[in-house]
Amino acid sequence: MSVPVTEAVNPITKNVDVASPLEIVSLLHKCDKEIFEGWNEYKSLYDEEVLATLDKIITVAASIIENAASGLIVLSGCGTSGRIAFLTARTFNAKLSELSRTPCFKYLIAGRDKALFTSQEAPEDDPVCGVEMLKEITDGKTKVLFIGITCGLSAPYVGGQLQYCMENLGVFTPVVLGFNPTHLARNNPIEKWESTFLQVINKMEEMKSSSNVFILNPVVGPEPITGSSRMKSGSATKVLLETIFTGAILSAKSGDRPWQTKSFIQSYQVVCNNLYNAKGSMEAVAQIVELAGNSLKSNGSIYYVGEGTLGIMGMIDASECPPTYGASLSDVRGFLDRGYKSFRNNDGDLSSLGLHFQISFNDMIKDILPHVKPFDVVIYITSDGNVDQRMTKCLCKKALISFAPKSSTVISTDVEVNMSLPKEALISLIGETAFQQFSMLFEEISTKWILNAITTGTHVMKGKVFQNMMVDLKVSNNKLFHRAIGIIQRFSELSLEDSKDCLLRSIYNTDNLSEEIRERPISCHIEAATPLSQVVPRALLSAILSCSVSESQRLLDKEPVIQKVISQTLSGVNQ
Ligand code: F1P
């Protein structure tokens, strides 16, 4: 098999594009369970080698926490991986402060803090920029644990950083975190760099037995929407990072942990399996999908409103919709109580960058609530059932996701999802004290699973997905450029070269591709494609129908629902 697992098609969701909202939620839940159940013959989260690697990383992390004046733990990634890095650093710095210890976590994200809200995918392909940013934040530190997260084992930004760490092993302990077997790491040339990501991984493989170099790459199976690594891979990233740092914090505190690494991972599995245990909860989430899907179909918006990390989960989920589904920045937005004061990002208040960087409840009260449309949907996410009353004064659809008993809910909504953690089972795995200390992490992952289901379901309802493939993707980085060619090749059965030509014809809006265009570096094609819409559907239709770019655009203008126009074309209607 030469397709990376993270880019493969998941058979469970093959017909998700024609499923009902309830079926969609159920299929996505089935896929999430695979995170823990493992996939095919590959090593799973529970593999002995994975657990042993986690234990070794926990020991390194604990020693840095104990010597925080000279040490640092850096979590780095692109897109969703960078956002999970941010959230994890924020969570564990707060935990260290609570324990009167020095916070020693930092995060890096390609494109800096703007990328926490809007995708900044060009810097993801830039290894030099990755190294510069790493040097900048580790300046003066003598011991650094570096965890480079790239779900597809592909991001050049992270590749450059890992390589730099390996050249400076006196200071750095490099860890790569991703979800493909090493031989399926990306082997494409990287511009401005002498090696491919696969070569970096191979080097790590060579060094790992003799040095402090770690590869953490369990396989969690293909994504429910092909290649959408924000979903299962993003969740598995959260599980693994939190398993490492809860373990490290407690090891540093008492010299011992009251649980095995395996038990901590099992506690997330118990949470996943119990997610929809309460009667009617899966139906309630499906109802939210239906409300929100109908809203997007009528050009309405979805607003997440939450406090603390649950609010941040909403913001992260919202930020992923434009790059994943070509959504507009206003389709799904997240708002957080006290805005940047609570967000605590590296660069502070970014609200002057524009509307979509304004994230506080006050911003929403001022700019959104007076103008909501009756079919817009506000989704409140709350741990204790409380919702700021100022946020409820709007005439639109309302939904609530709460981790408190129904009786403590203070507002009335159209749909209410009452979640409860499987407390007894969690206590038996990690003990009462740890449950009290870390139950928030389980509420966060539950929220992630539900919100991912909501935004995936709504975009499926909007017709953005064909079978289980997001076809109208933005061609905005190297990984997505190659994914786009793969999609054209798959449905048109053209050769790789011809599929690439089709994509280029669509990007440059021409039927006569010159040699000069063909020979431009991929980064040029990406720059040209990023601001355009419908690049891949246009290329795909002209590939299937052997027609001109303008002819395929005409078909798209006639039937803007991508799912319909592609299934019609494949069944011969547009021939
Ligand atoms: C990083 C990433 C994804 C995003 C999109 C583009 O991927 O930004 O988070 O959803 O697919 O790439 P990776 O380096 O973690 O594989």
Side-chain angles (χ1 to χ4, degrees), residues 146-159:
F146 172 82
I147 304 191
I149 311 154
T150 169
C151 299
L153 294 185
S154 59
Y157 175 86
V158 174

Side-chain angles (χ1 to χ4, degrees), residues 74-252:
V74 179
L75 311 175
S76 175
C78 309
T80 301
S81 302
R83 295 176 195 127
I84 304 273
F86 153 71
L87 179 71
T88 311
R90 182 187 179 282
T91 296
F92 287 94
N93 278 337
K95 279 275 168 241
L96 289 176
S97 297
E98 270 171 38
L99 298 168
S100 308
R101 283 182 172 269
T102 311
C104 62
F105 286 85
K106 288 208 169 157
Y107 69 91
L108 287 175
I109 180 164
R112 299 188 188 261
D113 278 2
K114 259 168 110 175
L116 294 171
F117 307 94
T118 59
S119 75
Q120 306 286 320
E121 279 152 330
E124 298 187 6
D125 289 337
D126 190 340
V128 179
C129 164
V131 173
E132 287 314 313
M133 286 174 70
L134 180 60
K135 281 186 186 162
E136 197 184 300
I137 57 156
T138 54
D139 189 32
K141 295 291 174 185
T142 54
K143 204 83 217 131
V144 178
L145 171 63
F146 172 82
I147 304 191
I149 311 154
T150 169
C151 299
L153 294 185
S154 59
Y157 175 86
V158 174
Q161 294 172 330
L162 289 165
Q163 172 100 27
Y164 175 76
C165 292
M166 281 190 285
E167 287 158 8
N168 294 282
L169 285 178
V171 174
F172 291 93
T173 300
V175 179
V176 64
L177 171 54
F179 301 97
N180 283 318
T182 50
H183 70 279
L184 294 178
R186 194 166 285 269
N187 198 24
N188 295 73
I190 297 173
E191 287 171 40
K192 297 200 261 180
W193 201 247
E194 69 281 0
S195 56
T196 68
F197 202 98
L198 178 65
Q199 286 165 335
V200 174
I201 291 283
N202 285 343
K203 183 105 189 113
M204 292 184 81
E205 195 85 70
E206 268 168 41
M207 294 176 93
K208 77 176 188 198
S209 56
S210 55
S211 333
N212 255 0
V213 171
F214 300 103
I215 301 177
L216 196 50
N217 66 331
V219 166
V220 294
E223 296 292 347
I225 300 300
T226 310
S228 181
S229 52
R230 76 186 191 111
M231 302 184 81
K232 288 164 74 179
S233 305
S235 302
T237 300
K238 184 165 159 54
V239 169
L240 290 174
L241 292 179
E242 291 167 0
T243 300
I244 294 170
F245 299 124
T246 48
I249 280 191
L250 287 211
S251 304

